[in-house]
Amino acid sequence: MNKTRLQQLGQLLNASVVSKVITGAEWEREGGKKHPEVGDTVQLKKVCLMVTRVNGSELHCIEMGAVLSPLEKQLLGWAIQQGGARPVSGTSDLERQARRLGEWIQQSVTAGEWRAEVPDRMELRNRLFDGMVPFVVLFEQVEEKEPAYSELEKTIRTFIADDTLLIPLREHEWLILSSDRVLTEAESDGDEVLGHEETKEILSTLAQGLHQLITGEWGGECHIAVGDPIVPSESVVRTVGTLRETIFLGRKFHMGMQIHLPWLVHLERLLSGIPETVRSRFVEEMMGRPDLFTDSETVSTLDAFFSMDCNVSETAKKLYIHRNTLLYRLDKIKNEAGLDVRSFNDAVLVRILLLLYKVTKRK
């Protein structure tokens, strides 16, 4: 609400009226409900707070130095709702509904309400059906102009056509929900019964295709995380939290990667919870040679070896080197670090050390 309207409202109420921004937690402490909407009020002893806009965990309010009657609250709330409901040029009903749902998701994630179900008051709830594939897209080049909702939705529908919802979350962050039919449509054999590993492979391929589409259309860079099909009305909050964490862990432990898969960062999630001082001390104590991972050839060899499940022949093929050359490199690591990655226990330890080193070296 602009300054002129605040003054006009103050004259009508014969009271002071100021705008302020508070958190959802502060709103609840004052007696407000957990998920406030535009027009909701809290009557305090000498002032009345009314929500004019919800922006994630922030609430934009007006503070009126008066005690309002129930009718006055109802009329003023209705007026503010109508003012906020005026369509912005080019903004569709679908976009407004999607933004409203996105604000609710953001509020729930911030409050840690992982089990929250989408309330009936959300217009898009009837479009959230069982078995939707979730993607979270994060635009990294924040200084660049982000595509408009309509542009991004149109582009995504060229790749994932049916029953797709685009939901804005935070700035530069979007949730995409698509029918799980994309899994069987992406399977060349047309087999609708997909195994767990096959589903993971298809989800990874879809995320890569979506990444290429978005970066090819707008340039810059973005990160994409994808999860197994969900029932969004029941688990969209938990899913958004998980995919956000997946992107965070991927950016933290695997610089240069843009596709992030939850089932590939279990160890990273565990290591991320260890205090930095403990991580650094562990690396220093366990490394036979502190400069071992400064050699790019050693790092690329180990990355390939672990990605190929410690299979020597497949790793050699991936690196386009002779098998004996790879064995020479692994023996070199054993001699210099005292750890043989062909042994299970040592392989686990080196994998942990490599992940921790990638983080600590950037501090």
Side-chain angles (χ1 to χ4, degrees):
M1 187 175 287
N2 59 38
K3 186 175 181 181
T4 300
R5 291 191 175 183
L6 288 174
Q7 291 174 343
Q8 292 173 344
L9 180 59
Q11 292 172 356
L12 288 173
L13 296 175
N14 192 27
S16 64
V17 179
V18 296
S19 61
K20 63 187 304 183
V21 179
I22 64 176
T23 65
E26 291 172 327
W27 172 264
E28 288 186 52
R29 283 198 296 270
E30 297 292 358
K33 67 182 185 181
K34 184 168 291 188
H35 295 293
E37 298 179 326
V38 173
D40 286 350
T41 60
V42 170
Q43 182 67 63
L44 305 178
K45 192 171 183 179
K46 294 183 178 180
V47 299
C48 181
L49 286 176
M50 177 170 286
V51 178
T52 58
R53 185 160 68 92
V54 179
N55 182 22
S57 61
E58 290 185 343
L59 302 179
H60 294 249
C61 304
I62 52 174
E63 183 182 84
M64 299 162 283
V67 177
L68 303 185
S69 69
L71 180 58
E72 288 173 326
K73 294 177 186 177
Q74 186 176 357
L75 290 173
L76 183 55
W78 177 83
I80 290 177
Q81 289 170 355
Q82 295 305 306
R86 293 174 184 171
V88 179
S89 177
T91 301
S92 66
D93 287 339
L94 176 60
E95 179 179 348
R96 286 192 292 274
Q97 294 169 9
R99 290 190 180 279
R100 189 166 178 240
L101 178 57
E103 289 174 353
W104 175 84
I105 293 173
Q106 174 60 22
Q107 278 187 310
S108 299
V109 171
T110 302
E113 298 173 351
W114 305 110
R115 298 181 181 276
E117 296 188 9
V118 178
D120 292 336
R121 68 177 183 273
M122 293 294 162
E123 299 93 334
L124 288 185
R125 194 183 195 285
N126 61 357
R127 294 188 57 180
L128 303 177
F129 48 86
D130 295 2
M132 299 190 82
V133 178
F135 302 83
V136 166
V137 180
L138 177 66
F139 287 86
E140 189 173 46
Q141 303 294 341
V142 296
E143 70 277 5
E144 300 292 336
K145 181 181 178 182
E146 189 170 279
Y149 181 94
S150 58
E151 295 174 345
L152 185 56
E153 183 194 29
K154 182 179 179 181
T155 298
I156 290 171
R157 287 187 181 278
T158 65
F159 181 69
I160 309 174
D162 296 331
D163 300 315
T164 298
L165 288 177
L166 176 64
I167 302 170
L169 297 172
R170 297 179 296 193
E171 189 175 13
H172 309 297
E173 183 186 57
W174 305 76
L175 169 66
I176 301 169
L177 295 172
S178 180
S179 167
D180 58 5
R181 287 198 299 271
V182 297
L183 299 176
T184 54
E185 290 171 357
E187 174 58 29
S188 58
D189 295 334
D191 184 4
E192 295 188 2
V193 180
L194 300 174
H196 192 54
E197 293 303 318
E198 194 174 19
T199 297
K200 288 180 179 179
E201 184 177 344
I202 294 174
L203 288 172
S204 176
T205 300
L206 287 171
Q208 291 170 7
L210 186 60
H211 179 269
Q212 292 173 2
L213 178 73
I214 292 175
T215 55
E217 185 75 19
W218 286 286
E221 194 50 86
C222 71
H223 293 264
I224 296 180
V226 60
D228 288 317
I230 63 170
V231 180
S233 61
E234 299 176 358
S235 58
V236 69
V237 175
R238 178 183 295 276
T239 298
V240 167
T242 297
L243 294 184
R244 275 182 180 171
E245 182 188 35
T246 299
I247 291 177
F248 169 78
L249 293 172
R251 297 176 73 185
K252 181 177 182 179
F253 287 96
H254 304 289
M255 290 188 66
M257 293 182 62
Q258 283 77 43
I259 306 301
H260 309 283
L261 309 173
W263 50 88
L264 294 184
V265 291
H266 294 310
L267 182 57
E268 290 83 343
R269 181 177 293 111
L270 178 64
L271 297 178
S272 183
I274 300 175
E276 180 184 339
T277 53
V278 178
R279 294 200 303 259
S280 299
R281 187 171 69 249
F282 180 77
V283 172
E284 292 174 0
E285 292 175 353
M286 296 306 300
M287 290 291 292
R289 275 187 48 185
D291 63 340
L292 178 66
F293 292 145
T294 59
D295 179 26
S296 60
E297 181 182 88
T298 298
V299 173
S300 62
T301 298
L302 289 172
D303 280 337
F305 186 67
F306 293 131
S307 70
M308 292 291 103
D309 293 328
C310 302
N311 185 299
V312 173
S313 298
E314 293 301 319
T315 302
K317 290 179 183 178
K318 182 179 178 67
L319 293 173
Y320 299 102
I321 60 176
H322 193 276
R323 190 174 187 275
N324 290 341
T325 302
L326 175 60
L327 292 174
Y328 169 78
R329 293 183 184 178
L330 298 181
D331 285 336
K332 182 181 177 183
I333 294 171
K334 179 182 178 180
N335 293 333
E336 294 180 351
L339 297 168
D340 185 0
V341 292
R342 286 164 290 186
S343 164
F344 175 78
N345 288 336
D346 284 359
V348 172
L349 186 56
V350 173
R351 173 68 170 153
I352 292 173
L353 287 170
L354 181 58
L355 287 172
L356 293 179
Y357 179 80
K358 288 180 177 180
V359 178
T360 56
K361 75 173 182 178
R362 297 198 299 268
K363 298 298 181 183

